[in-house]
Short mmCIF file of all heavy atoms in Angstrom, two decimals:
data_model
loop_
_atom_site.label_atom_id
_atom_site.label_comp_id
_atom_site.label_asym_id
_atom_site.label_seq_id
_atom_site.Cartn_x
_atom_site.Cartn_y
_atom_site.Cartn_z
N MET A 1 0.88 -1.17 0.00
CA MET A 1 -0.01 0.02 0.03
C MET A 1 0.86 1.25 0.00
O MET A 1 0.49 2.31 -0.56
CB MET A 1 -0.93 -0.02 1.26
CG MET A 1 -2.10 1.01 1.09
SD MET A 1 -3.11 1.07 2.62
CE MET A 1 -2.37 2.37 3.52
N ALA A 2 2.05 1.19 0.60
CA ALA A 2 2.81 2.38 0.67
C ALA A 2 4.30 2.16 0.86
O ALA A 2 4.65 0.91 1.19
CB ALA A 2 2.38 3.22 1.90
N GLU A 3 5.10 3.10 0.68
CA GLU A 3 6.51 3.00 0.96
C GLU A 3 6.79 4.22 2.01
O GLU A 3 6.26 5.30 1.91
CB GLU A 3 7.45 3.02 -0.21
CG GLU A 3 7.28 4.22 -1.08
CD GLU A 3 8.25 4.24 -2.37
OE1 GLU A 3 9.05 3.27 -2.32
OE2 GLU A 3 8.00 4.95 -3.21
N VAL A 4 7.81 3.96 2.87
CA VAL A 4 8.10 4.95 3.94
C VAL A 4 9.48 5.37 3.87
O VAL A 4 10.41 4.46 3.80
CB VAL A 4 7.75 4.32 5.32
CG1 VAL A 4 8.01 5.44 6.30
CG2 VAL A 4 6.21 3.98 5.36
N PHE A 5 9.74 6.60 3.88
CA PHE A 5 11.00 7.15 3.97
C PHE A 5 11.35 7.93 5.19
O PHE A 5 10.43 8.73 5.61
CB PHE A 5 11.29 8.20 2.69
CG PHE A 5 11.33 7.57 1.32
CD1 PHE A 5 10.04 7.24 0.69
CD2 PHE A 5 12.45 7.06 0.74
CE1 PHE A 5 10.10 6.60 -0.61
CE2 PHE A 5 12.48 6.55 -0.46
CZ PHE A 5 11.23 6.27 -1.17
N ARG A 6 12.57 7.91 5.69
CA ARG A 6 12.98 8.90 6.56
C ARG A 6 13.40 10.14 5.71
O ARG A 6 14.23 9.95 4.83
CB ARG A 6 14.03 8.46 7.43
CG ARG A 6 14.55 9.31 8.60
CD ARG A 6 15.53 8.63 9.61
NE ARG A 6 16.75 8.30 8.91
CZ ARG A 6 17.85 8.99 8.79
NH1 ARG A 6 17.88 10.19 9.33
NH2 ARG A 6 19.04 8.51 8.18
N ALA A 7 12.90 11.22 6.14
CA ALA A 7 13.13 12.37 5.32
C ALA A 7 13.47 13.61 6.17
O ALA A 7 13.25 13.57 7.41
CB ALA A 7 11.84 12.71 4.44
N LYS A 8 13.87 14.72 5.48
CA LYS A 8 14.23 15.91 6.19
C LYS A 8 13.59 17.12 5.52
O LYS A 8 13.63 17.13 4.29
CB LYS A 8 15.72 16.07 6.32
CG LYS A 8 16.16 17.32 7.07
CD LYS A 8 17.76 17.31 7.15
CE LYS A 8 18.34 16.27 7.98
NZ LYS A 8 19.78 16.37 8.19
N ARG A 9 12.97 18.00 6.27
CA ARG A 9 12.56 19.17 5.64
C ARG A 9 13.39 20.45 6.19
O ARG A 9 13.67 20.50 7.50
CB ARG A 9 11.09 19.47 6.13
CG ARG A 9 10.49 20.75 5.51
CD ARG A 9 9.01 20.86 5.42
NE ARG A 9 8.48 22.03 4.78
CZ ARG A 9 7.29 22.23 4.35
NH1 ARG A 9 6.36 21.21 4.70
NH2 ARG A 9 6.86 23.18 3.76
N SER A 10 13.90 21.26 5.33
CA SER A 10 14.71 22.37 5.81
C SER A 10 13.92 23.70 5.63
O SER A 10 12.96 23.83 4.76
CB SER A 10 15.90 22.42 4.86
OG SER A 10 16.71 21.22 4.93
N GLY A 11 14.32 24.58 6.52
CA GLY A 11 13.65 25.91 6.52
C GLY A 11 14.73 27.04 6.58
O GLY A 11 15.95 26.74 6.37
N VAL A 12 14.24 28.16 7.03
CA VAL A 12 15.10 29.46 7.20
C VAL A 12 16.09 29.17 8.28
O VAL A 12 15.96 28.45 9.15
CB VAL A 12 14.32 30.62 7.34
CG1 VAL A 12 13.31 30.90 6.09
CG2 VAL A 12 13.54 30.52 8.69
N GLU A 13 17.34 29.87 8.07
CA GLU A 13 18.25 30.01 9.08
C GLU A 13 18.80 28.57 9.47
O GLU A 13 19.09 28.28 10.65
CB GLU A 13 17.79 30.68 10.42
CG GLU A 13 17.39 32.13 10.04
CD GLU A 13 18.51 32.99 9.54
OE1 GLU A 13 19.63 32.75 9.93
OE2 GLU A 13 18.19 34.02 8.89
N GLY A 14 18.93 27.61 8.53
CA GLY A 14 19.39 26.40 8.80
C GLY A 14 18.42 25.48 9.64
O GLY A 14 18.91 24.33 10.09
N PHE A 15 17.17 25.86 9.69
CA PHE A 15 16.14 24.94 10.37
C PHE A 15 16.08 23.65 9.63
O PHE A 15 15.82 23.61 8.36
CB PHE A 15 14.84 25.64 10.52
CG PHE A 15 13.76 24.73 11.03
CD1 PHE A 15 13.51 24.63 12.38
CD2 PHE A 15 12.86 24.08 10.21
CE1 PHE A 15 12.52 23.79 12.82
CE2 PHE A 15 11.89 23.20 10.69
CZ PHE A 15 11.70 23.09 12.05
N GLU A 16 15.98 22.48 10.35
CA GLU A 16 15.75 21.15 9.68
C GLU A 16 14.94 20.37 10.69
O GLU A 16 15.11 20.47 11.84
CB GLU A 16 17.07 20.47 9.52
CG GLU A 16 17.98 20.97 8.46
CD GLU A 16 19.27 20.26 8.17
OE1 GLU A 16 19.78 19.55 9.16
OE2 GLU A 16 19.76 20.34 7.08
N LYS A 17 14.07 19.56 10.12
CA LYS A 17 13.40 18.53 10.92
C LYS A 17 13.14 17.29 10.18
O LYS A 17 12.94 17.18 9.04
CB LYS A 17 11.92 19.19 11.10
CG LYS A 17 10.91 18.37 12.07
CD LYS A 17 9.63 19.00 12.34
CE LYS A 17 8.82 18.16 13.35
NZ LYS A 17 9.47 18.12 14.68
N VAL A 18 13.44 16.22 10.85
CA VAL A 18 13.44 14.82 10.35
C VAL A 18 12.00 14.35 10.60
O VAL A 18 11.41 14.49 11.64
CB VAL A 18 14.39 13.90 11.00
CG1 VAL A 18 14.25 12.45 10.55
CG2 VAL A 18 15.78 14.37 10.71
N VAL A 19 11.35 13.76 9.47
CA VAL A 19 10.03 13.27 9.55
C VAL A 19 10.01 11.85 8.87
O VAL A 19 11.03 11.47 8.26
CB VAL A 19 8.94 14.20 8.87
CG1 VAL A 19 8.98 15.57 9.57
CG2 VAL A 19 9.33 14.42 7.36
N ALA A 20 8.84 11.28 8.94
CA ALA A 20 8.60 10.06 8.17
C ALA A 20 7.59 10.38 7.04
O ALA A 20 6.55 10.99 7.35
CB ALA A 20 8.02 8.97 9.00
N VAL A 21 8.02 10.17 5.83
CA VAL A 21 7.13 10.38 4.74
C VAL A 21 6.52 9.08 4.26
O VAL A 21 7.36 8.24 3.82
CB VAL A 21 7.85 11.08 3.57
CG1 VAL A 21 7.06 11.15 2.26
CG2 VAL A 21 8.27 12.46 4.04
N LYS A 22 5.25 8.90 4.21
CA LYS A 22 4.50 7.68 3.81
C LYS A 22 3.93 8.03 2.45
O LYS A 22 2.90 8.72 2.36
CB LYS A 22 3.57 7.20 4.77
CG LYS A 22 2.89 5.88 4.43
CD LYS A 22 1.96 5.45 5.56
CE LYS A 22 1.30 3.98 5.29
NZ LYS A 22 0.63 3.48 6.38
N ARG A 23 4.51 7.37 1.42
CA ARG A 23 3.87 7.68 0.04
C ARG A 23 3.13 6.49 -0.45
O ARG A 23 3.46 5.37 -0.39
CB ARG A 23 5.07 7.82 -0.88
CG ARG A 23 4.73 8.23 -2.31
CD ARG A 23 5.84 8.33 -3.16
NE ARG A 23 6.15 7.03 -3.63
CZ ARG A 23 5.63 6.40 -4.86
NH1 ARG A 23 4.89 7.04 -5.51
NH2 ARG A 23 6.09 5.11 -5.13
N ILE A 24 1.78 6.81 -0.86
CA ILE A 24 0.92 5.81 -1.33
C ILE A 24 1.44 5.40 -2.70
O ILE A 24 1.70 6.17 -3.52
CB ILE A 24 -0.49 6.37 -1.44
CG1 ILE A 24 -0.88 6.96 -0.06
CG2 ILE A 24 -1.53 5.32 -1.97
CD1 ILE A 24 -0.82 5.91 1.10
N LEU A 25 1.46 4.12 -2.85
CA LEU A 25 1.95 3.65 -4.19
C LEU A 25 1.02 3.93 -5.28
O LEU A 25 -0.10 4.06 -5.17
CB LEU A 25 2.25 2.04 -4.05
CG LEU A 25 3.11 1.60 -2.99
CD1 LEU A 25 3.28 0.14 -2.93
CD2 LEU A 25 4.51 2.34 -3.30
N SER A 26 1.62 4.02 -6.48
CA SER A 26 0.89 4.57 -7.71
C SER A 26 -0.25 3.73 -8.07
O SER A 26 -1.26 4.25 -8.54
CB SER A 26 1.89 4.71 -8.84
OG SER A 26 2.58 3.38 -9.06
N HIS A 27 -0.20 2.44 -7.93
CA HIS A 27 -1.34 1.65 -8.35
C HIS A 27 -2.63 1.86 -7.56
O HIS A 27 -3.72 1.58 -8.04
CB HIS A 27 -1.06 0.15 -8.33
CG HIS A 27 -0.93 -0.46 -6.89
ND1 HIS A 27 0.22 -0.38 -6.21
CD2 HIS A 27 -1.82 -1.11 -6.16
CE1 HIS A 27 -0.04 -0.96 -5.03
NE2 HIS A 27 -1.28 -1.38 -4.96
N LEU A 28 -2.46 2.38 -6.37
CA LEU A 28 -3.64 2.85 -5.57
C LEU A 28 -4.17 4.25 -5.88
O LEU A 28 -5.21 4.50 -5.40
CB LEU A 28 -3.32 2.68 -4.02
CG LEU A 28 -3.22 1.22 -3.53
CD1 LEU A 28 -2.87 1.21 -2.09
CD2 LEU A 28 -4.58 0.44 -3.75
N SER A 29 -3.26 5.00 -6.51
CA SER A 29 -3.71 6.35 -6.87
C SER A 29 -4.81 6.35 -7.82
O SER A 29 -5.60 7.33 -7.99
CB SER A 29 -2.50 7.19 -7.32
OG SER A 29 -1.53 7.29 -6.42
N ASP A 30 -5.02 5.24 -8.52
CA ASP A 30 -6.05 5.18 -9.50
C ASP A 30 -7.44 4.64 -8.95
O ASP A 30 -8.43 4.63 -9.54
CB ASP A 30 -5.74 4.15 -10.66
CG ASP A 30 -4.51 4.74 -11.36
OD1 ASP A 30 -4.42 6.00 -11.50
OD2 ASP A 30 -3.62 3.89 -11.87
N ASN A 31 -7.32 4.32 -7.59
CA ASN A 31 -8.54 3.78 -6.95
C ASN A 31 -9.17 5.01 -6.22
O ASN A 31 -8.79 5.36 -5.15
CB ASN A 31 -8.11 2.74 -5.88
CG ASN A 31 -9.25 1.99 -5.28
OD1 ASN A 31 -10.24 2.68 -5.04
ND2 ASN A 31 -9.11 0.89 -4.81
N LYS A 32 -10.22 5.55 -6.87
CA LYS A 32 -10.72 6.79 -6.29
C LYS A 32 -11.44 6.61 -4.99
O LYS A 32 -11.24 7.41 -3.99
CB LYS A 32 -11.88 7.28 -7.29
CG LYS A 32 -12.45 8.62 -6.87
CD LYS A 32 -13.35 9.17 -7.96
CE LYS A 32 -13.80 10.55 -7.55
NZ LYS A 32 -14.39 10.72 -6.19
N GLU A 33 -12.06 5.44 -4.79
CA GLU A 33 -12.66 5.14 -3.48
C GLU A 33 -11.57 5.18 -2.32
O GLU A 33 -11.75 5.64 -1.22
CB GLU A 33 -13.42 3.85 -3.42
CG GLU A 33 -14.23 3.66 -2.23
CD GLU A 33 -15.13 2.37 -2.31
OE1 GLU A 33 -14.80 1.52 -3.28
OE2 GLU A 33 -16.06 2.23 -1.51
N PHE A 34 -10.48 4.53 -2.67
CA PHE A 34 -9.35 4.44 -1.60
C PHE A 34 -8.79 5.72 -1.37
O PHE A 34 -8.64 6.25 -0.26
CB PHE A 34 -8.31 3.59 -2.12
CG PHE A 34 -7.01 3.57 -1.42
CD1 PHE A 34 -6.84 2.98 -0.11
CD2 PHE A 34 -6.00 4.47 -1.80
CE1 PHE A 34 -5.68 2.98 0.59
CE2 PHE A 34 -4.74 4.56 -1.09
CZ PHE A 34 -4.60 3.84 0.10
N VAL A 35 -8.55 6.56 -2.45
CA VAL A 35 -7.84 7.89 -2.33
C VAL A 35 -8.82 8.85 -1.51
O VAL A 35 -8.39 9.55 -0.62
CB VAL A 35 -7.54 8.58 -3.67
CG1 VAL A 35 -7.25 9.89 -3.58
CG2 VAL A 35 -6.43 7.68 -4.34
N ASP A 36 -10.07 8.76 -1.86
CA ASP A 36 -10.96 9.68 -1.17
C ASP A 36 -11.03 9.32 0.41
O ASP A 36 -11.06 10.31 1.14
CB ASP A 36 -12.52 9.57 -1.65
CG ASP A 36 -12.51 10.11 -3.15
OD1 ASP A 36 -11.67 10.94 -3.47
OD2 ASP A 36 -13.60 9.93 -3.81
N MET A 37 -11.13 8.06 0.59
CA MET A 37 -11.21 7.75 2.02
C MET A 37 -9.78 8.04 2.70
O MET A 37 -9.79 8.51 3.89
CB MET A 37 -11.55 6.23 2.30
CG MET A 37 -11.77 5.78 3.61
SD MET A 37 -12.42 4.16 3.80
CE MET A 37 -14.09 4.38 3.19
N PHE A 38 -8.74 7.74 2.09
CA PHE A 38 -7.46 8.06 2.70
C PHE A 38 -7.30 9.52 2.96
O PHE A 38 -6.80 9.89 4.09
CB PHE A 38 -6.26 7.61 1.59
CG PHE A 38 -4.99 7.97 1.97
CD1 PHE A 38 -4.24 7.20 2.94
CD2 PHE A 38 -4.33 9.08 1.55
CE1 PHE A 38 -2.97 7.43 3.36
CE2 PHE A 38 -3.05 9.42 1.90
CZ PHE A 38 -2.40 8.65 2.83
N VAL A 39 -7.70 10.36 2.08
CA VAL A 39 -7.60 11.82 2.27
C VAL A 39 -8.46 12.25 3.38
O VAL A 39 -8.09 13.03 4.23
CB VAL A 39 -7.85 12.55 0.95
CG1 VAL A 39 -7.97 14.07 1.29
CG2 VAL A 39 -6.82 12.41 -0.06
N ASP A 40 -9.77 11.77 3.42
CA ASP A 40 -10.70 12.17 4.46
C ASP A 40 -10.17 11.81 5.84
O ASP A 40 -10.37 12.48 6.77
CB ASP A 40 -12.04 11.42 4.15
CG ASP A 40 -12.75 12.12 2.99
OD1 ASP A 40 -12.29 13.24 2.63
OD2 ASP A 40 -13.78 11.47 2.51
N GLU A 41 -9.71 10.51 5.97
CA GLU A 41 -9.20 10.08 7.22
C GLU A 41 -7.96 10.74 7.70
O GLU A 41 -7.89 11.07 8.95
CB GLU A 41 -8.88 8.56 7.12
CG GLU A 41 -10.14 7.61 6.96
CD GLU A 41 -11.11 7.73 8.20
OE1 GLU A 41 -10.59 7.48 9.36
OE2 GLU A 41 -12.25 7.87 8.08
N ALA A 42 -7.14 11.03 6.72
CA ALA A 42 -5.89 11.78 7.18
C ALA A 42 -6.19 13.17 7.70
O ALA A 42 -5.63 13.69 8.66
CB ALA A 42 -4.90 11.86 5.90
#
């Protein structure tokens, strides 16, 4: 259903924050019912 990355977001003055990015796999992006529910729940 997804792949997860450890990622970093940078900001002004050298600000950085490590987060987990969970990306929904492309084959599910075509499933409108899944996408709608995923977005609503998130």
Side-chain angles (χ1 to χ4, degrees):
M1 197 181 91
E3 58 182 347
V4 180
F5 291 86
R6 185 169 63 89
K8 182 180 290 185
R9 181 164 187 167
S10 301
V12 297
E13 302 295 335
F15 173 84
E16 291 184 333
K17 186 174 185 64
V18 176
V19 299
V21 172
K22 182 172 187 176
R23 187 187 78 93
I24 304 307
L25 298 181
S26 57
H27 72 276
L28 286 175
S29 299
D30 297 326
N31 185 331
K32 186 177 186 302
E33 189 176 13
F34 168 82
V35 169
D36 289 347
M37 186 173 289
F38 174 81
V39 171
D40 289 345
E41 291 294 312

